[in-house]
Amino acid sequence: MTKKVLVLPGDGIGPEIIAQATKVLDYLNASLSLGLEFTRALVGGASIDEAGVPLTDQTLDLAKQSDAILLGAVGGTKWDTLDMAIRPEKGLLGLRSGLELFANLRPAILYPQLAEASSLRPEIVAGLDILIVRELTGGIYFGQPRGIQPLEDGSREGFNTYRYSESEIRRIGRIAFESARKRNNQVCSVDKANVLEVTVLWREVMDQLAPEYPDVTLSHMYVDNAAMQLVKAPKQFDVIVTGNMFGDILSDEAAMLTGSIGMLPSASLNSSGQGMYEPCHGSAPDIAGQDLANPLATILSAAMMLRYSLQQEEAAQRIEKAVSKVLDQGYRTADIVGSGDITKVGTNAMGDAVLAALKSA
Ligand code: IPM
Ligand code: MG
């Protein structure tokens, strides 16, 4: 049976890193007869330049008809002065909300080979394996009303609304509890329940769910403390579940624990298992087109895609092993160079190294 994959390279380093991931996918598709059918489209700034909007109806329709979407990155200084409503980022947010991809899984795993690349001491991060479950289609990112409006005194005010319904909290909570069952059975729910009512409700709903998962231990933490604990003692965490904005911030922080945000993949899923897969990092316009970007987060996102939306666990594991092997072999892009016996490579050579590791396995 064929499965449809929509490839959206996007902007900045997007096309370069996507090229490495598709190299790997093309090889596995042929050698393991996975039956994947790829289509490509534009999103973000690339789509603005071509069609005037960051996400066209056609691309959204294509995405809806796909089993999975592999996305590079969106955005860049070129489009930063545009009106908020048609910025490249809106393309990404439109895909997330249009497909109801409410569950964002961001694993932060420290590869032992990269312990030195972390800014924290090796004993603090060695063996780190955290899963951040971020709510992705609600909260302050999407809450209405929002805007910038004039005040009576002639100045202006900006406002956004932070809201979550019980059902939105419950469905992301379930994803967290179920994910914890496949890991170390601990969920830490992160909120700001000492100040924000919306997160008082968040905490209540998490507590209501807990008895359904007696094998999982639920704890709660305020977001400011969580930010601190992540750098103080990150290994205390197994699964962290939180809202859209806190998840955005904490996942960047967790990424740095692992040495580089260039290593972090992500999956965004809806309730039918359809998913969008993208690296956690942005489009890095400053290094775009220079063969400098680390393609591993995108390659690892392709592995997550094979696992979660395409039911190809074996292929997913083969990619993950190949990535670990190239790190063993000492290949490093600029963001993860440490000292010692390493070979500094560019984007393309890193993709080739992963491909070679796959072929030799
Ligand atoms: C992320 C990014 C996006 C977000 C931006 C590009 C809209 O930072 O995926 O973490 O804020 O969600
Ligand atoms: Mg972010």
Side-chain angles (χ1 to χ4, degrees):
M1 211 180 74
T2 64
K3 296 254 183 184
K4 291 188 184 143
V5 177
L6 177 64
V7 179
L8 301 171
D11 311 317
I13 58 172
E16 297 165 73
I17 53 179
I18 282 288
Q20 309 316 312
T22 50
K23 223 185 240 179
V24 164
L25 284 169
D26 283 340
Y27 169 72
L28 289 172
N29 196 22
S31 61
L32 299 178
S33 307
L34 302 181
L36 306 181
E37 234 173 53
F38 297 96
T39 313
R40 294 173 83 90
L42 300 175
V43 72
S47 174
I48 295 174
D49 289 349
E50 180 82 17
V53 287
L55 176 67
T56 62
D57 291 344
Q58 293 95 302
T59 302
L60 182 58
D61 280 345
L62 271 177
K64 286 181 179 165
Q65 289 153 24
S66 304
D67 296 289
I69 300 146
L70 184 66
L71 185 138
V74 298
T77 39
K78 180 176 170 196
W79 306 281
D80 275 353
T81 51
L82 290 176
D83 188 74
M84 270 292 260
I86 53 156
R87 290 251 185 104
E89 288 77 4
K90 281 284 176 198
L92 185 58
L93 298 174
L95 283 163
R96 289 175 180 172
S97 66
L99 276 76
E100 252 199 275
L101 304 168
F102 70 92
N104 185 213
L105 310 182
R106 299 191 159 184
I109 296 170
L110 182 87
Y111 284 84
Q113 302 94 321
L114 298 183
E116 229 190 288
S118 174
S119 46
L120 296 189
R121 288 198 305 277
E123 67 267 27
I124 294 182
V125 288
L128 183 85
D129 181 354
I130 299 175
L131 177 67
I132 297 190
V133 176
R134 169 187 175 194
E135 200 291 326
L136 204 60
T137 51
I140 198 163
Y141 270 51
F142 291 94
Q144 295 289 344
R146 63 191 296 158
I148 299 174
Q149 66 187 15
L151 292 172
E152 275 174 12
D153 68 3
S155 68
R156 296 177 303 161
E157 69 171 357
F159 57 100
N160 288 86
T161 307
Y162 189 1
R163 57 200 311 158
Y164 271 120
S165 67
E166 288 181 297
S167 61
E168 284 177 302
I169 303 168
R170 207 171 294 121
R171 67 180 182 177
I172 195 69
R174 288 196 188 287
I175 299 281
F177 280 105
E178 277 153 27
S179 304
R181 279 191 164 156
K182 297 182 197 137
R183 299 168 45 95
N184 293 316
N185 300 294
Q186 289 181 51
V187 171
C188 178
S189 170
V190 170
D191 61 38
K192 189 70 187 169
N194 51 343
V195 179
L196 304 172
E197 286 81 356
V198 46
T199 70
V200 171
L201 183 66
W202 177 283
R203 196 176 271 226
E204 265 178 49
V205 173
M206 291 294 162
D207 279 332
Q208 283 164 11
L209 282 176
E212 292 180 38
Y213 303 87
D215 47 329
V216 178
T217 312
L218 171 69
S219 60
H220 301 280
M221 200 179 274
Y222 297 141
V223 63
D224 48 351
N225 187 25
M228 184 171 75
Q229 294 300 328
L230 267 175
V231 284
K232 188 174 171 218
K235 281 188 273 180
Q236 70 186 281
F237 296 108
D238 177 23
V239 173
I240 291 177
V241 63
T242 190
N244 208 342
M245 183 166 64
F246 297 161
D248 178 45
I249 299 165
L250 294 181
S251 60
D252 268 27
E253 190 186 4
M256 275 324 290
L257 302 176
T258 72
S260 170
I261 197 166
M263 295 298 300
L264 253 77
S266 81
S268 307
L269 306 169
N270 65 19
S271 50
S272 50
Q274 208 183 8
M276 181 159 81
Y277 299 81
E278 52 176 318
C280 287
H281 60 71
S283 60
D286 52 324
I287 59 165
Q290 299 171 45
D291 197 41
L292 281 175
N294 184 348
L296 294 179
T298 313
I299 292 173
L300 290 167
S301 298
M304 289 186 92
M305 175 173 86
L306 289 163
R307 171 170 299 124
Y308 289 108
S309 290
L310 305 172
Q311 285 72 49
Q312 297 291 352
E313 176 63 30
E314 190 207 323
Q317 285 186 21
R318 285 187 57 179
I319 293 181
E320 288 161 353
K321 284 198 192 112
V323 167
S324 190
K325 187 170 170 194
V326 301
L327 295 175
D328 280 339
Q329 291 168 330
Y331 291 112
R332 302 282 188 273
T333 41
D335 57 315
I336 50 175
V337 285
S339 52
D341 196 8
I342 60 123
T343 311
K344 199 171 160 190
V345 291
T347 311
N348 200 46
M350 186 59 114
D352 287 343
V354 175
L355 192 60
L358 271 176
K359 287 184 177 168
S360 69

PDB file of all heavy atoms in Angstrom, residues 26-27 39 65 80-81 91 97 125 201 223 260 274 291 335 339 348:
ATOM      1  N   ASP A  26      14.808   8.232   0.340  1.00  0.00           N
ATOM      2  CA  ASP A  26      14.769   7.619  -0.991  1.00  0.00           C
ATOM      3  C   ASP A  26      15.469   6.258  -0.961  1.00  0.00           C
ATOM      4  O   ASP A  26      14.992   5.282  -1.544  1.00  0.00           O
ATOM      5  CB  ASP A  26      15.457   8.519  -2.034  1.00  0.00           C
ATOM      6  CG  ASP A  26      14.572   9.697  -2.437  1.00  0.00           C
ATOM      7  OD1 ASP A  26      13.344   9.609  -2.224  1.00  0.00           O
ATOM      8  OD2 ASP A  26      15.106  10.695  -2.959  1.00  0.00           O
ATOM      9  N   TYR A  27      16.587   6.219  -0.284  1.00  0.00           N
ATOM     10  CA  TYR A  27      17.339   4.962  -0.212  1.00  0.00           C
ATOM     11  C   TYR A  27      16.511   3.885   0.501  1.00  0.00           C
ATOM     12  O   TYR A  27      16.367   2.757   0.001  1.00  0.00           O
ATOM     13  CB  TYR A  27      18.679   5.180   0.506  1.00  0.00           C
ATOM     14  CG  TYR A  27      19.350   3.878   0.844  1.00  0.00           C
ATOM     15  CD1 TYR A  27      19.916   3.085  -0.164  1.00  0.00           C
ATOM     16  CD2 TYR A  27      19.373   3.406   2.156  1.00  0.00           C
ATOM     17  CE1 TYR A  27      20.498   1.859   0.141  1.00  0.00           C
ATOM     18  CE2 TYR A  27      19.952   2.193   2.465  1.00  0.00           C
ATOM     19  CZ  TYR A  27      20.513   1.415   1.463  1.00  0.00           C
ATOM     20  OH  TYR A  27      21.069   0.206   1.753  1.00  0.00           O
ATOM     21  N   THR A  39       5.528  14.119  -2.622  1.00  0.00           N
ATOM     22  CA  THR A  39       5.100  15.312  -3.358  1.00  0.00           C
ATOM     23  C   THR A  39       5.785  16.497  -2.701  1.00  0.00           C
ATOM     24  O   THR A  39       6.021  16.466  -1.495  1.00  0.00           O
ATOM     25  CB  THR A  39       3.573  15.525  -3.225  1.00  0.00           C
ATOM     26  OG1 THR A  39       2.927  14.296  -3.460  1.00  0.00           O
ATOM     27  CG2 THR A  39       3.066  16.560  -4.204  1.00  0.00           C
ATOM     28  N   GLN A  65      -4.364  15.594   2.563  1.00  0.00           N
ATOM     29  CA  GLN A  65      -4.468  14.300   1.878  1.00  0.00           C
ATOM     30  C   GLN A  65      -3.255  13.406   2.090  1.00  0.00           C
ATOM     31  O   GLN A  65      -3.211  12.279   1.592  1.00  0.00           O
ATOM     32  CB  GLN A  65      -4.640  14.534   0.370  1.00  0.00           C
ATOM     33  CG  GLN A  65      -5.994  15.101  -0.006  1.00  0.00           C
ATOM     34  CD  GLN A  65      -5.916  15.903  -1.299  1.00  0.00           C
ATOM     35  OE1 GLN A  65      -5.020  15.679  -2.110  1.00  0.00           O
ATOM     36  NE2 GLN A  65      -6.833  16.833  -1.481  1.00  0.00           N
ATOM     37  N   ASP A  80      10.481  39.698   7.451  1.00  0.00           N
ATOM     38  CA  ASP A  80      10.192  40.123   8.827  1.00  0.00           C
ATOM     39  C   ASP A  80       9.383  41.414   8.935  1.00  0.00           C
ATOM     40  O   ASP A  80       8.780  41.683   9.979  1.00  0.00           O
ATOM     41  CB  ASP A  80      11.489  40.287   9.633  1.00  0.00           C
ATOM     42  CG  ASP A  80      11.939  38.961  10.228  1.00  0.00           C
ATOM     43  OD1 ASP A  80      11.164  37.982  10.111  1.00  0.00           O
ATOM     44  OD2 ASP A  80      13.050  38.891  10.780  1.00  0.00           O
ATOM     45  N   THR A  81       9.371  42.191   7.873  1.00  0.00           N
ATOM     46  CA  THR A  81       8.641  43.452   7.950  1.00  0.00           C
ATOM     47  C   THR A  81       7.200  43.318   7.466  1.00  0.00           C
ATOM     48  O   THR A  81       6.423  44.264   7.540  1.00  0.00           O
ATOM     49  CB  THR A  81       9.346  44.541   7.117  1.00  0.00           C
ATOM     50  OG1 THR A  81       9.584  43.995   5.821  1.00  0.00           O
ATOM     51  CG2 THR A  81      10.677  44.938   7.741  1.00  0.00           C
ATOM     52  N   GLY A  91       2.445  30.239   8.006  1.00  0.00           N
ATOM     53  CA  GLY A  91       2.305  29.029   7.195  1.00  0.00           C
ATOM     54  C   GLY A  91       2.407  27.788   8.070  1.00  0.00           C
ATOM     55  O   GLY A  91       1.600  26.851   7.974  1.00  0.00           O
ATOM     56  N   SER A  97      -2.715  24.156  12.795  1.00  0.00           N
ATOM     57  CA  SER A  97      -4.129  24.249  13.175  1.00  0.00           C
ATOM     58  C   SER A  97      -5.030  23.610  12.124  1.00  0.00           C
ATOM     59  O   SER A  97      -6.001  22.951  12.458  1.00  0.00           O
ATOM     60  CB  SER A  97      -4.529  25.695  13.466  1.00  0.00           C
ATOM     61  OG  SER A  97      -4.463  26.455  12.294  1.00  0.00           O
ATOM     62  N   VAL A 125      24.475  15.951  32.377  1.00  0.00           N
ATOM     63  CA  VAL A 125      23.659  15.612  31.204  1.00  0.00           C
ATOM     64  C   VAL A 125      23.838  14.187  30.679  1.00  0.00           C
ATOM     65  O   VAL A 125      23.029  13.737  29.856  1.00  0.00           O
ATOM     66  CB  VAL A 125      23.907  16.602  30.040  1.00  0.00           C
ATOM     67  CG1 VAL A 125      23.299  17.950  30.345  1.00  0.00           C
ATOM     68  CG2 VAL A 125      25.383  16.728  29.706  1.00  0.00           C
ATOM     69  N   LEU A 201      -6.808  25.454  35.821  1.00  0.00           N
ATOM     70  CA  LEU A 201      -7.659  24.446  35.188  1.00  0.00           C
ATOM     71  C   LEU A 201      -6.798  23.329  34.591  1.00  0.00           C
ATOM     72  O   LEU A 201      -7.116  22.148  34.697  1.00  0.00           O
ATOM     73  CB  LEU A 201      -8.518  25.101  34.094  1.00  0.00           C
ATOM     74  CG  LEU A 201      -9.506  24.162  33.406  1.00  0.00           C
ATOM     75  CD1 LEU A 201     -10.587  23.691  34.384  1.00  0.00           C
ATOM     76  CD2 LEU A 201     -10.152  24.835  32.186  1.00  0.00           C
ATOM     77  N   VAL A 223       6.402  26.906  35.777  1.00  0.00           N
ATOM     78  CA  VAL A 223       7.289  26.993  34.608  1.00  0.00           C
ATOM     79  C   VAL A 223       8.627  27.651  34.931  1.00  0.00           C
ATOM     80  O   VAL A 223       9.663  27.265  34.389  1.00  0.00           O
ATOM     81  CB  VAL A 223       6.576  27.682  33.418  1.00  0.00           C
ATOM     82  CG1 VAL A 223       6.203  29.124  33.735  1.00  0.00           C
ATOM     83  CG2 VAL A 223       7.420  27.616  32.157  1.00  0.00           C
ATOM     84  N   SER A 260      23.258  20.707  20.945  1.00  0.00           N
ATOM     85  CA  SER A 260      22.896  21.604  19.860  1.00  0.00           C
ATOM     86  C   SER A 260      21.448  21.415  19.475  1.00  0.00           C
ATOM     87  O   SER A 260      20.957  20.286  19.420  1.00  0.00           O
ATOM     88  CB  SER A 260      23.748  21.333  18.630  1.00  0.00           C
ATOM     89  OG  SER A 260      23.223  22.044  17.525  1.00  0.00           O
ATOM     90  N   GLN A 274      -2.059  11.167  11.723  1.00  0.00           N
ATOM     91  CA  GLN A 274      -1.421  11.951  10.682  1.00  0.00           C
ATOM     92  C   GLN A 274      -0.419  12.884  11.373  1.00  0.00           C
ATOM     93  O   GLN A 274      -0.694  13.358  12.475  1.00  0.00           O
ATOM     94  CB  GLN A 274      -2.500  12.791  10.017  1.00  0.00           C
ATOM     95  CG  GLN A 274      -2.262  13.148   8.600  1.00  0.00           C
ATOM     96  CD  GLN A 274      -3.388  14.050   8.110  1.00  0.00           C
ATOM     97  OE1 GLN A 274      -4.246  14.496   8.877  1.00  0.00           O
ATOM     98  NE2 GLN A 274      -3.384  14.313   6.825  1.00  0.00           N
ATOM     99  N   ASP A 291      26.193  25.359   3.206  1.00  0.00           N
ATOM    100  CA  ASP A 291      26.573  23.984   3.519  1.00  0.00           C
ATOM    101  C   ASP A 291      27.108  23.865   4.946  1.00  0.00           C
ATOM    102  O   ASP A 291      28.037  23.109   5.216  1.00  0.00           O
ATOM    103  CB  ASP A 291      27.619  23.487   2.501  1.00  0.00           C
ATOM    104  CG  ASP A 291      27.757  21.962   2.515  1.00  0.00           C
ATOM    105  OD1 ASP A 291      26.718  21.270   2.619  1.00  0.00           O
ATOM    106  OD2 ASP A 291      28.898  21.456   2.449  1.00  0.00           O
ATOM    107  N   ASP A 335      28.108  23.079  14.440  1.00  0.00           N
ATOM    108  CA  ASP A 335      27.417  23.320  15.710  1.00  0.00           C
ATOM    109  C   ASP A 335      27.761  22.302  16.791  1.00  0.00           C
ATOM    110  O   ASP A 335      27.472  22.523  17.962  1.00  0.00           O
ATOM    111  CB  ASP A 335      25.896  23.328  15.486  1.00  0.00           C
ATOM    112  CG  ASP A 335      25.417  22.034  14.844  1.00  0.00           C
ATOM    113  OD1 ASP A 335      26.057  21.569  13.880  1.00  0.00           O
ATOM    114  OD2 ASP A 335      24.415  21.477  15.317  1.00  0.00           O
ATOM    115  N   SER A 339      36.316  18.756  20.973  1.00  0.00           N
ATOM    116  CA  SER A 339      37.735  18.503  20.724  1.00  0.00           C
ATOM    117  C   SER A 339      37.882  17.020  20.376  1.00  0.00           C
ATOM    118  O   SER A 339      36.903  16.302  20.248  1.00  0.00           O
ATOM    119  CB  SER A 339      38.534  18.845  21.971  1.00  0.00           C
ATOM    120  OG  SER A 339      37.964  18.165  23.070  1.00  0.00           O
ATOM    121  N   ASN A 348      25.952  18.598   3.400  1.00  0.00           N
ATOM    122  CA  ASN A 348      25.858  17.553   2.388  1.00  0.00           C
ATOM    123  C   ASN A 348      26.674  16.319   2.764  1.00  0.00           C
ATOM    124  O   ASN A 348      26.205  15.180   2.651  1.00  0.00           O
ATOM    125  CB  ASN A 348      26.338  18.161   1.062  1.00  0.00           C
ATOM    126  CG  ASN A 348      25.860  17.367  -0.126  1.00  0.00           C
ATOM    127  OD1 ASN A 348      24.696  16.994  -0.192  1.00  0.00           O
ATOM    128  ND2 ASN A 348      26.781  17.093  -1.031  1.00  0.00           N
TER     129      ASN A 348
END
